[in-house]
Amino acid sequence: MCWVNKFKVATLSDLDSVVSIIDSAISSLKEDKSTQWQSGIPNRDTLRKDILNKTCYVLFKDGLICATVNLTTEKDPNYEKIDGKWLNEDEVYMTIHRFAVLKENTKAGLGRQLFTHSIEEAKKQGVHQLRIDTHKENKKMIGLITSFDFIYRGIVKVKDPKDPYRNAYQKFI
């Protein structure tokens, strides 16, 4: 698939842009009355670690970083217990975390592009299963997730002192 917008692994020189995008998403979630990301995580240290681990990706629009996502094949301990059921639990999967688009660009289709690039990256790495979670009040994200044919699998618990429960989804590619 060919996109005009560039997608690449982030470097430390991208950290300030990534932090700005996440801060923008935190603000949007708060406006939408979601408690997701309202407890101080993700933060600059989290994002720096993602970049150093080469799991943070950025999407450009008009030469500027406008979206970010963390893609990792490291097993997510939050997904070990689910009130529901994963399929093919023993297979390697890619987790989509810290998916965010700069607030000013949320209507530009960048979320769809970021999802498409994420799926393509999983294929490139030879991974055939993706997992993602989001807060039940994050209706925009749930709509985006399900529009890419992710299937709801149940509820997982994350490290969030305000509201740790997240809807969990899975897709096979």
Side-chain angles (χ1 to χ4, degrees):
M1 188 156 291
C2 182
W3 296 101
V4 174
N5 299 326
K6 180 179 171 185
F7 180 73
K8 73 169 188 90
V9 176
T11 63
L12 283 176
S13 65
D14 301 324
L15 181 58
D16 288 341
S17 295
V18 171
V19 170
S20 292
I21 294 165
I22 294 295
D23 287 347
S24 172
I26 289 168
S27 173
S28 291
L29 287 165
K30 188 174 186 174
E31 288 171 14
D32 291 343
K33 308 289 188 250
S34 174
T35 60
Q36 186 172 358
W37 292 2
Q38 302 304 307
S39 300
I41 296 174
N43 57 36
R44 186 176 194 85
D45 289 339
T46 308
L47 302 170
R48 186 175 193 282
K49 286 176 191 168
D50 289 349
I51 290 171
L52 291 174
N53 288 332
K54 299 189 182 330
T55 59
C56 181
Y57 293 76
V58 290
L59 182 68
F60 289 78
K61 179 183 174 221
D62 300 327
L64 300 173
I65 297 172
C66 294
T68 186
V69 65
N70 183 59
L71 303 173
T72 181
T73 55
E74 191 173 301
K75 281 196 174 228
D76 189 323
N78 296 319
Y79 291 177
E80 288 178 16
K81 290 184 182 178
I82 183 170
D83 183 6
K85 180 151 178 58
W86 297 112
L87 297 182
N88 299 29
E89 290 186 60
D90 296 331
E91 285 184 17
V92 173
Y93 59 88
M94 180 172 280
T95 306
I96 300 172
H97 280 308
R98 295 181 274 293
F99 186 103
V101 175
L102 196 60
K103 193 174 186 176
E104 299 82 52
N105 290 280
T106 56
K107 304 273 189 227
L110 296 181
R112 294 197 65 74
Q113 287 187 38
L114 196 57
F115 245 112
T116 300
H117 283 298
S118 298
I119 292 166
E120 291 302 314
E121 184 62 28
K123 288 178 184 176
K124 193 165 103 179
Q125 292 187 28
V127 178
H128 305 288
Q129 171 184 172
L130 293 122
R131 295 182 185 182
I132 189 170
D133 65 82
T134 195
H135 193 278
K136 67 183 179 207
E137 297 301 327
N138 193 345
K139 304 296 184 198
K140 292 174 193 168
M141 192 64 187
I142 290 170
L144 188 59
I145 290 168
T146 57
S147 77
F148 276 87
D149 299 324
F150 279 74
I151 305 297
Y152 174 78
R153 295 296 182 203
I155 297 175
V156 294
K157 192 174 179 182
V158 300
K159 294 174 184 163
D160 182 337
K162 289 189 178 194
D163 185 355
Y165 301 101
R166 300 288 184 267
N167 290 355
Y169 299 84
Q170 183 179 39
K171 177 182 177 73
F172 291 93
I173 53 175

